[in-house]
Each structure stands twice: as structure tokens, then as C-alpha cells.
Amino acid sequence: MPLDITLFGIQMPTLLPIFTASAVLQILFDRVMSDTGFYNHVWHPGLFRTAVFICIFTIPSLFIYH
């Protein structure tokens, strides 16, 4: 996979669309977890949300640079 993407003549790093997709996926995941009451059983919800986002962002990012 190329490390740069050209979109409408603008060159951007490949991690930017992955970051955007990860943010959207995290918002959806966060909504499901809050609706089911999962965060009532988590010690620190903000830390858990951050850790889940890092996992969601890191997995596709490793496929690019591997």
C-alpha cells in the first residue's frame, strides 16, 4: 500500500483516512457500549475509550508499515 494518497490533487499521508475511519468506528462503538451499560462496569471509562481507539487505529496502521 502506498504511504501517500492523492485526493483531488492533494497529497496526504495514508494514516489520515485510517484515523478518520477509526474515529467514526470509535464513535459507533462508544454509543453501543454506553447504551448497553458496559461503562458501568469499567473502572475508568475515559481511559478505556482511549485504549480502544488506539487499538482500532493501530491494527490497520500496522498493515501499512509492515
Side-chain angles (χ1 to χ4, degrees):
M1 184 172 215
L3 298 179
D4 292 331
I5 295 175
T6 304
L7 184 64
F8 301 115
I10 301 171
Q11 196 171 18
M12 68 178 90
T14 307
L15 290 178
L16 187 62
I18 292 175
F19 183 84
T20 306
S22 298
V24 169
L25 192 61
Q26 171 62 25
I27 290 169
L28 296 173
F29 183 75
D30 185 49
R31 180 162 295 169
V32 169
M33 290 294 127
S34 63
D35 288 345
T36 59
F38 179 77
Y39 289 132
N40 294 332
H41 304 289
V42 175
W43 171 69
H44 198 291
L47 184 61
F48 182 78
R49 287 180 182 118
T50 304
V52 168
F53 176 76
I54 290 171
C55 291
I56 291 172
F57 177 67
T58 302
I59 291 170
S61 299
L62 287 175
F63 287 120
I64 294 173
Y65 294 106
H66 183 255

